[in-house]
Amino acid sequence: PVRDGDLWWQMAYGRYLIDNKTLTIDNSVFSWGPSKAGFIYCAWIPEIFLYVIHSKWGLTPLFALRYLFILIFLTLLGLQARRDGVLKHPLTWLIGLLGVLMSQTAAFIKPEIFSYLLMTLVVWNWWAIKLSGERAWRRCYLFPLLILIWVNSHGGFIFGLAFLATLACGVLLNSFFAASDELQPHITKHFWLSMAACILSFSLRPM
């Protein structure tokens, strides 16, 4: 059983986008009469992805996808905890448990599950930047790529942007008040360039 029937609606959108080779939905196709929305809500990446997966293999891999994304969260948490030497600490296991329990509100089989995955990757990437030393500057440019995928996947990208805005404020404040926590100068430069690229990524979505 599918807990949320919105899945079928999203896959119908995916089929429409493929059949008509467009990223613009004609709402009249899904209504009894002419209909025109005031804006385009386009989650085309997961809509097409979910439709193609279901049309080829049915529901089973869609359920597996849900648990795969949760497993990715736990794996990245475990890797980071091991790197910090706190893998066996009870608080680490509590955080993992809370993360899984909270995922129940986000890990539905529809586009919002991509927000769950992408938020996990954005947070993990920041931790990796803080711990990667000289190579950290390369990871800065993963942010605009993740945002580009996110803005074309689900409206939850606003939380990703809010998180990045918080990081930007933190980096700026550290430069004035917490030099010991400040990023290395050459990494800071790439960080700000990546933030500018995130703004560009935000604009690269169907309007």
Side-chain angles (χ1 to χ4, degrees), residues 82-116:
R82 186 177 67 176
R83 185 170 184 174
D84 292 341
V86 294
L87 181 59
K88 297 181 180 180
H89 197 287
L91 185 58
T92 300
W93 290 84
L94 177 60
I95 291 172
L97 175 61
L98 290 175
V100 171
L101 292 176
M102 288 188 294
S103 73
Q104 300 306 307
T105 62
F108 294 117
I109 310 171
K110 57 181 186 176
E112 69 184 49
I113 197 174
F114 282 73
S115 281
Y116 174 75

Side-chain angles (χ1 to χ4, degrees), residues 115-130:
S115 281
Y116 174 75
L117 174 66
L118 289 162
M119 190 68 186
T120 297
L121 295 177
V122 166
V123 174
W124 166 77
N125 190 53
W126 174 244
W127 279 106
I129 288 173
K130 294 287 286 185

Side-chain angles (χ1 to χ4, degrees), residues 115-189:
S115 281
Y116 174 75
L117 174 66
L118 289 162
M119 190 68 186
T120 297
L121 295 177
V122 166
V123 174
W124 166 77
N125 190 53
W126 174 244
W127 279 106
I129 288 173
K130 294 287 286 185
L131 298 171
S132 294
E134 295 293 329
R135 297 175 299 171
W137 68 270
R138 300 175 184 175
R139 293 186 177 274
C140 292
Y141 295 102
L142 185 56
F143 285 136
L145 175 60
L146 291 172
I147 292 298
L148 178 61
I149 296 172
W150 205 342
V151 299
N152 289 282
S153 296
H154 185 248
F157 69 83
I158 60 174
F159 295 105
L161 293 176
F163 178 74
L164 292 179
T166 303
L167 291 186
C169 291
V171 169
L172 186 62
L173 289 173
N174 282 345
S175 65
F176 290 103
F177 304 109
S180 60
D181 291 327
E182 188 178 3
L183 295 173
Q184 297 179 31
H186 75 284
I187 298 175
T188 301
K189 177 185 70 174

Side-chain angles (χ1 to χ4, degrees), residues 1-8 108-110 112:
V2 176
R3 182 176 177 182
D4 192 324
D6 189 47
L7 169 64
W8 308 107
F108 294 117
I109 310 171
K110 57 181 186 176
E112 69 184 49

